[in-house]
Every structure is written in structure tokens, then in C-alpha cells.
């Protein structure tokens, strides 16, 4: 991995303090501070993001246990024979497809784009308490794609699972 790919994967690995959808709440808070949106817009964004996150998690995990695809670490070690290979960080103990980060990130990005607008430039500093540098984005979709891609760079997902996950997240947001 390049240093940039490693940094991306580490940033989006679900660091301590922000389990599950907690990072999305931190993102909303930072975006609201940067954009200085009014209360009604912030409330709408919280509602849409919450609905998107809920639906994305439910639909994603139904798919995970329906498809039941093995993780890269299992395939690389058991099928390819690279028994010492490890992902960049711990691999979750549930099936691989689709990537939950991809599904959630895409649904979340679509909802924020709907409320705040496209091509909104922002900076996230969610994990500065861990010494991680801020991440800069030109749009919510760029952030959602990075969230998905980070899982491939982390070694815990296949690229098609992230690509299909993003499509699923966008479809969830449309519904």
C-alpha cells in the first residue's frame, strides 16, 4: 500500500470512541459547524442520515448473511496458501459481502447531498484525538467512495463488495 492508502484505511477503520454509526454523527456535527446551516436544515439532515443509517445496516446485514461470502483473510490464507498474511487491522467476524462501510457511506452521502448540496467542500478531524490528520473532501460522494475504498486497502473487503455496496447504499437512499 502507498502511505496515502494506508492513512485512508486507518482513518475509516472504526476507531475507538466512534462505534458503528457514531462516526456519521461526528461527520454531521463537523459539517454543520463548517457550513453554519440553520436548525431546520440540521434537523432534516439528522433525520435523513438516521433513517439512511438504520435502513443501510438492516439491509446490509440481511445481504451479508444471505450471501455469506468469506473474507479476504480466509481466502488468502486457506485457498491461496499465504498462511502468514494479515489485514491492516482486525477483520470483523461477520460475512464479507456487501461492505457495510460502502453501503452506509453511500446512503449517508446521498442524504447529505440531498439536504446540503453537491460539491460541498469540508474537512473531517474526527480522529485528531488519536493523532490522525484531517481528511479533506470536495463532496459527500467523495467521502462515501473513500469510506468504501478504505476497506479494500485495509484488506478486509474485495473491491466488488465495495462497489456493489455503494450501489446498494445509493438505492437505499432513493427509497
Amino acid at each position: 500500500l502507498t502511505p496515502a492508502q494506508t492513512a485512508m484505511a486507518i482513518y475509516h477503520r472504526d476507531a475507538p470512541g466512534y462505534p458503528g454509526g457514531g462516526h456519521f454523527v461526528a461527520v454531521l456535527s463537523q459539517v454543520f459547524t463548517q457550513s453554519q446551516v440553520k436548525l431546520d436544515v440540521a434537523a432534516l439532515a439528522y433525520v435523513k442520515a438516521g433513517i439512511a443509517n438504520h435502513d443501510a445496516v438492516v439491509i446490509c446485514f440481511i445481504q451479508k448473511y444471505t450471501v455469506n461470502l468469506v473474507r479476504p483473510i480466509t481466502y488468502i490464507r486457506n485457498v491461496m496458501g499465504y498462511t502468514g498474511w494479515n489485514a491492516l487491522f482486525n477483520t470483523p467476524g461477520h460475512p464479507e459481502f456487501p461492505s457495510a462501510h460502502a453501503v452506509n457511506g453511500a446512503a449517508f452521502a446521498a442524504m447529505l447531498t440531498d439536504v446540503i448540496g453537491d460539491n460541498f467542500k469540508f474537512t473531517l478531524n474526527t480522529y485528531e484525538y488519536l493523532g490522525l490528520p484531517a481528511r479533506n473532501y470536495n463532496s459527500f460522494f467523495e467521502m462515501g467512495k473513500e469510506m468504501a475504498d478504505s476497506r479494500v486497502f485495509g484488506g478486509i473487503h474485495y473491491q466488488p463488495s465495495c462497489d456493489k455496496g455503494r450501489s446498494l447504499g445509493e438505492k437505499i437512499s432513493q427509497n
Side-chain angles (χ1 to χ4, degrees), residues 76-96:
I76 291 167
R77 286 180 177 178
N78 298 349
V79 176
M80 296 176 73
Y82 296 100
T83 56
W85 186 87
N86 283 308
L88 188 58
F89 44 82
N90 289 336
T91 300
H94 48 74
E96 190 274 345

Side-chain angles (χ1 to χ4, degrees), residues 7-13 23 124-127 132-133 135 137:
M8 180 194 305
I10 299 241
Y11 192 87
H12 294 291
R13 76 181 184 276
H23 185 213
L124 295 183
N125 56 12
T126 308
Y127 300 117
L132 297 178
R135 308 285 303 167
Y137 304 100

Side-chain angles (χ1 to χ4, degrees), residues 41-102:
V41 174
L44 182 61
Y46 270 117
V47 168
K48 285 189 169 201
I51 291 169
N53 189 341
H54 174 270
D55 288 357
V57 168
V58 170
I59 292 167
C60 179
F61 275 84
I62 288 170
Q63 286 298 303
K64 280 182 177 294
Y65 285 95
T66 300
V67 175
N68 204 24
L69 187 63
V70 298
R71 294 278 182 167
I73 195 166
T74 303
Y75 187 83
I76 291 167
R77 286 180 177 178
N78 298 349
V79 176
M80 296 176 73
Y82 296 100
T83 56
W85 186 87
N86 283 308
L88 188 58
F89 44 82
N90 289 336
T91 300
H94 48 74
E96 190 274 345
F97 179 88
S99 162
H101 268 63

